Amino acid sequence: MTDAINWQKSSFSGADNNQSCIELASVDGSIKMRESDDPEVVVTTSVAKLRAFMLGVKAGEFDHLI
């Protein structure tokens, strides 16, 4: 993979570049995730798994963790 990855973060993260946030990128049909304050650690998942996770977040399944 020689192309640069186009990382995207939520607009809710704010404009401060020092603020920690989760960044996402789509690469070859998979989703890559990293924390902005530790960009060397990258987790890869599928679109379907990320979709299921996001639906769970929206449904409040993880509210007890925050």
Side-chain angles (χ1 to χ4, degrees), residues 11-64:
S11 60
F12 290 99
S13 295
D16 182 3
N17 286 334
N18 293 323
Q19 191 170 2
S20 299
C21 63
I22 300 293
E23 298 174 319
L24 298 173
S26 177
V27 178
D28 297 328
S30 66
I31 301 295
K32 298 202 177 284
M33 297 179 285
R34 70 180 185 180
E35 292 189 44
S36 60
D37 62 345
D38 194 7
E40 298 301 315
V41 177
V42 177
V43 175
T44 302
T45 191
S46 69
V47 172
K49 289 179 182 177
L50 180 61
R51 181 181 296 117
F53 175 74
M54 292 176 70
L55 289 171
V57 169
K58 289 179 180 183
E61 293 178 21
F62 302 98
D63 288 355
H64 66 284

Side-chain angles (χ1 to χ4, degrees), residues 1-13:
M1 180 171 35
T2 58
D3 295 335
I5 296 177
N6 184 24
W7 293 100
Q8 180 180 347
K9 69 177 185 173
S10 169
S11 60
F12 290 99
S13 295

